[in-house]
Amino acid sequence: MPRPKPATFDKKKIVAENRRARFDYAIETTYEAGIALTGTEVKALRFGEGSIAESYAEVTGEEVWLVNSNIPEFSHGNRFNHEPKRPRKLLLHGREINKLHGAVAREGMTLVPLTVYFNSKGRAKVELALAKGRKAHDKREHIKEREWKREAGRLLRDHR
């Protein structure tokens, strides 16, 4: 019987982070997905290059693809170098893909990559979030709530 995946994934080296996603989207659940990369892409990521700021994931048929992510060409890649903005296949279990497909199709949710990292085994992984877009007023509410929590923590700390 396979052991369940932890809620927080064992991240060793974070390469790229989409910090704006946590503000623009209300995150429901997160998934850890493998990513199919070529050799020069892995080398570029190990050097800490790569961006997922404008990227998203889409379900096409039985596959999930990471679209619009940017991994710049590797400096010593010669003619075997990769295309920087090519769509990259994400590796998930079939039932996870079905669940994501259903949520995106029925509930109007979005698949947003949060981080690209190397796990403890040295494998490149993507933390993928199933999220719902926030409207402008929701963002303002989120800011107010965050500020209030910060202020409450400050008051409690100063009160002691």
Side-chain angles (χ1 to χ4, degrees), residues 45-157:
L45 282 177
R46 290 217 184 268
F47 274 101
E49 298 173 344
S51 167
I52 55 169
E54 297 291 318
S55 63
Y56 61 96
E58 64 182 10
V59 182
T60 51
E62 298 285 312
E63 298 176 335
V64 181
W65 294 87
L66 183 63
V67 181
N68 210 16
S69 62
N70 183 30
I71 301 175
E73 288 188 343
F74 183 57
S75 56
H76 305 311
N78 64 39
R79 66 179 187 188
F80 299 112
N81 233 327
H82 62 277
E83 189 183 321
K85 283 211 172 232
R86 77 176 182 90
R88 294 167 176 93
K89 187 176 179 180
L90 296 179
L91 310 171
L92 290 154
H93 290 286
R95 64 180 176 277
E96 289 176 328
I97 294 172
N98 291 338
K99 198 179 291 183
L100 294 175
H101 181 67
V104 169
R106 281 192 300 277
E107 300 164 34
M109 300 185 98
T110 312
L111 289 174
V112 184
L114 298 177
T115 53
V116 174
Y117 60 93
F118 287 100
N119 68 1
S120 55
K121 293 181 180 175
R123 303 260 195 256
K125 299 286 184 180
V126 176
E127 185 179 5
L128 198 62
L130 191 60
K132 201 171 219 107
R134 281 198 179 118
K135 304 276 191 287
H137 59 87
D138 292 337
K139 291 179 187 178
R140 285 193 292 271
E141 280 296 316
H142 183 66
I143 291 170
K144 282 182 193 172
E145 191 177 309
R146 190 174 59 200
E147 293 293 326
W148 167 243
K149 283 181 183 174
R150 190 176 293 147
E151 187 63 33
R154 193 177 296 127
L155 288 170
L156 286 172
R157 190 175 56 240

